[in-house]
Amino acid sequence: MFESAATTFASIAVLGLAGYAYHRYYKRLVLQKIENAFQPGDPVLELAALGKSATGSSTHISGARDGKDQNWILRPEQDKIDAVVNGTDKGKYHLIIGEKGTGKSSMLLEAMRKVDGEGISMFEAHADLEIFRIRLGKALDYEYHEDYIGSLFSIRGPRDTTALLDIERAFNKLEKLAMQRRKRRRGPLILIINCTHLIRDDDDGRNLLELIQQRAEQWAASNLLTMVFNSDDYWVYERLKRYATRMEVVPVLDLPKDRAIAALEKYRRRYFPEQTLSSEILSQVYDQVGGRLAYLNRVAKSSNMIHACEKIREAEKTWFLNKCGILGEEMDDDVMDQQKYASAAMVLARALVKAQDQMEASYDPREGHKLPQIPLYKARQIMTRADFIQSYDHDNIFTIDSRANVRADSVPMMNAFREICSEPGFDDFLEATLHRISAIESLNRTKELTLKDLWIEQRGEIRGKYLAVMKDSKGRDTGTLEFAIKPNENLEDDDAG
């Protein structure tokens, strides 16, 4: 019995010791893998370099290994982004906001390239929380205990749970690593969440943003980690601003005329080094596409740049009409909800065109385009709707800047607005659409009341006089209605009966 008991005790002790040793080893391994994710060299930089080598060029990223940035388009915000990414600007977290194609992600990648990605991790957001969880785990090299084999030693791992709780666990591990680095007198880590606007504006998405912002506030206060959000849409700023105390907003706009023309010249020399462009051609290109880097790069690749500018404007016009085209007086009542969305966009586009006509100067020879803008609350008054503007921003039709001003998403889009609103009969067609929507709404609000057997026959005559009392939802009298029943002499007896 003593021998059997000793054998059993020894087996249990060995199993427990092995399980405890593995558990401690696994926890240390998790932190080591996360720390390796912040070592020099980042998968995002490697993908950008592969894309450059595959195409022979890049939209915005120079990718120069010799330290010379002859192909890089320097934006005025680059110094600020560099200070954030290299850890100089700390004690805050940052929201980079601007329209699609202005070079936000490219500036982040360029700043990462300068420090070779040391202490930095970057990943793309997604609307699905499960995919967001996987991408965060890939960026941190964290497996969420999916490779844990403690069950062999009868040690239960983390229970099955939701994606949001897994993200919280990943942040707990990241915080532990940041505190260890702090003890070793290392700088703060940098975590970049790109395309934050892809997170859905629903309960799950708002809970996710709230969780991330709470961590960003704590880490910024303790200088453990600096979090950077990159977004195209205004709603992310509106959501974060509610609880923000240490958030700094970095707006990224289109380039002014002189910088845009310089960028166009660099792009053109990269693709057509043998050609020399006149200043007149460069000015014509800027007049049509503005200072949006994505458009300038696309135009520079074309052999006929003026034709490429027209194609961009036509594509923006087609996109706007496909999303927000109105149908006029003859539209069916089944499409009323979509037409509310479309007509509100047309009304706002017409208001921007009128605002541009009333501006003293919508174009400066040195600064370039000055797009008309309307405060957000006035734009909602113009549309008589408060919920559509977020969808317009997400669809890249209108944009809302960090100061809550609404304007066209780009210069080609503004040109498309003007072209559509200047078509013959546009105002009448829009008013007919609005009138049809009002008629359908009025019909839906109309209630039909049928009354039976109200007449009284006295001395061979049909008579009846009644007084109806109207009340509100709280039972209070709001008025009276008096009506009488009289025979209709034009009806036959059978019809009257």
Side-chain angles (χ1 to χ4, degrees):
M1 290 176 61
F2 178 76
E3 183 178 355
S4 299
T7 302
T8 304
F9 177 78
S11 300
I12 295 175
V14 170
L15 182 64
L17 183 61
Y20 177 74
Y22 171 76
H23 186 70
R24 293 295 301 270
Y25 161 76
Y26 182 81
K27 293 179 70 175
R28 189 182 305 111
L29 178 64
V30 167
L31 293 180
Q32 183 179 355
K33 289 171 65 178
I34 295 177
E35 187 171 12
N36 290 338
F38 289 91
Q39 295 300 317
D42 191 273
V44 176
L45 289 176
E46 295 176 4
L47 287 175
L50 288 175
K52 180 181 182 301
S53 62
T55 60
S57 62
S58 175
T59 303
H60 303 130
I61 305 166
S62 64
R65 297 296 178 184
D66 56 357
K68 296 180 181 179
D69 296 340
Q70 67 244 6
N71 291 329
W72 173 249
I73 307 303
L74 185 63
R75 289 193 57 99
E77 300 87 0
Q78 186 65 55
D79 293 337
K80 174 66 176 179
I81 301 298
D82 291 344
V84 172
V85 172
N86 62 30
T88 304
D89 189 357
K90 53 188 177 181
K92 295 172 285 188
Y93 63 100
H94 304 268
L95 172 63
I96 304 174
I97 185 171
E99 295 84 0
K100 181 183 68 174
T102 52
K104 304 183 299 298
S105 300
S106 300
M107 287 193 294
L108 288 170
L109 291 174
E110 176 66 12
M112 291 175 62
R113 185 191 65 81
K114 292 178 181 178
V115 296
D116 199 19
E118 183 177 3
I120 307 166
S121 184
M122 179 178 180
F123 70 98
E124 301 277 337
H126 195 272
D128 193 306
L129 292 187
E130 290 291 343
I131 298 179
F132 187 96
R133 163 189 172 274
I134 292 174
R135 291 182 178 179
L136 174 62
K138 180 183 177 182
L140 300 180
D141 199 7
Y142 179 57
E143 300 291 341
Y144 300 101
H145 288 77
E146 293 173 356
D147 56 347
Y148 185 73
I149 57 173
S151 58
L152 296 177
F153 307 99
S154 300
I155 302 176
R156 185 180 179 185
R159 61 183 177 87
D160 295 335
T161 182
T162 62
L164 203 61
L165 286 178
D166 275 344
I167 294 170
E168 175 71 11
R169 289 195 178 104
F171 285 157
N172 288 337
K173 295 295 183 181
L174 182 58
E175 184 178 280
K176 186 177 292 186
L177 172 64
M179 293 181 68
Q180 291 181 0
R181 287 173 55 93
R182 179 73 173 272
K183 294 178 181 178
R184 298 197 298 265
R185 299 182 182 276
R186 303 287 296 275
L189 297 173
I190 310 294
L191 182 62
I192 302 173
I193 303 179
N194 199 26
C195 299
T196 315
H197 58 276
L198 295 181
I199 300 174
R200 290 195 183 99
D201 188 16
D202 55 10
D203 290 339
D204 290 338
R206 288 188 288 269
N207 290 338
L208 175 61
L209 274 182
E210 183 178 345
L211 184 152
I212 298 174
Q213 186 180 21
Q214 287 177 343
R215 292 290 186 162
E217 290 279 348
Q218 295 172 2
W219 292 337
S222 56
N223 288 332
L224 289 178
L225 186 144
T226 299
M227 192 167 287
V228 180
F229 301 92
N230 185 14
S231 173
D232 293 353
D233 294 351
Y234 175 78
W235 82 266
V236 177
Y237 166 75
E238 204 170 40
R239 178 65 185 174
L240 295 178
K241 187 179 184 300
R242 185 178 304 173
Y243 304 113
T245 57
R246 294 177 177 87
M247 183 178 71
E248 182 174 353
V249 181
V250 182
V252 181
L253 307 175
D254 289 347
L255 290 176
K257 184 176 181 179
D258 53 348
R259 290 179 178 269
I261 290 179
L264 181 59
E265 286 181 319
K266 286 187 177 182
Y267 286 145
R268 192 66 175 180
R269 283 199 301 266
R270 186 188 309 172
Y271 302 122
F272 300 93
E274 69 281 356
Q275 290 187 5
T276 302
L277 297 177
S278 64
S279 58
E280 182 180 355
I281 297 296
L282 295 174
S283 296
Q284 290 180 9
V285 171
Y286 174 80
D287 292 344
Q288 296 193 45
V289 299
R292 187 68 53 88
L293 285 175
Y295 293 155
L296 294 175
N297 180 71
R298 192 187 310 174
V299 169
K301 291 180 180 179
S302 176
S303 58
N304 188 341
M305 294 197 299
I306 303 299
H307 179 65
C309 293
E310 295 175 355
K311 289 179 62 177
I312 291 175
R313 179 192 53 76
E314 191 63 29
E316 293 295 295
K317 178 182 177 181
T318 302
W319 171 256
F320 177 55
L321 291 177
N322 288 342
K323 299 293 290 186
C324 302
I326 53 178
L327 302 180
E329 184 73 29
E330 304 300 326
M331 72 174 181
D332 192 79
D333 56 354
D334 293 336
V335 298
M336 187 186 68
D337 291 338
Q338 190 275 336
Q339 283 298 288
K340 285 182 180 180
Y341 180 86
S343 60
M346 285 293 179
V347 169
L348 184 56
R350 182 175 63 177
L352 287 174
V353 171
K354 291 182 178 179
Q356 189 177 39
D357 293 336
Q358 296 173 0
M359 293 174 62
E360 295 181 359
S362 60
Y363 186 87
D364 185 86
R366 298 186 60 183
E367 295 295 327
H369 291 283
K370 295 181 179 179
L371 294 181
Q373 56 188 17
I374 300 174
L376 178 58
Y377 73 95
K378 286 189 177 180
R380 286 170 170 162
Q381 292 175 2
I382 292 172
M383 296 186 298
T384 67
R385 292 294 295 257
D387 53 341
F388 287 159
I389 190 65
Q390 181 173 324
S391 298
Y392 299 149
D393 189 15
H394 190 71
D395 290 338
N396 300 316
I397 297 174
F398 302 96
T399 187
I400 312 172
D401 60 19
S402 58
R403 296 182 178 181
N405 290 318
V406 180
R407 60 176 179 273
D409 184 75
S410 61
V411 171
M413 184 62 78
M414 187 65 208
N415 293 336
F417 290 166
R418 176 166 291 280
E419 183 176 345
I420 293 171
C421 294
S422 60
E423 292 179 356
F426 170 78
D427 290 335
D428 295 336
F429 193 66
L430 178 58
E431 292 301 327
T433 303
L434 297 175
H435 182 268
R436 174 61 175 164
I437 293 174
S438 299
I440 296 174
E441 289 182 334
S442 177
L443 182 62
N444 292 335
R445 289 194 295 264
T446 302
K447 302 298 181 182
E448 181 177 349
L449 184 63
T450 303
L451 304 177
K452 294 180 62 179
D453 301 332
L454 295 178
W455 59 83
I456 300 175
E457 186 173 353
Q458 294 179 351
R459 298 178 182 178
E461 295 183 358
I462 297 177
R463 300 285 182 184
K465 190 173 183 181
Y466 298 89
L467 181 67
V469 179
M470 295 177 289
K471 297 184 178 182
D472 59 10
S473 58
K474 296 183 179 180
R476 295 173 298 190
D477 294 345
T478 59
T480 58
L481 175 64
E482 184 177 350
F483 62 95
I485 304 297
K486 296 181 180 181
N488 191 340
E489 299 177 353
N490 297 326
L491 296 177
E492 299 294 336
D493 292 341
D494 293 341
D495 294 336

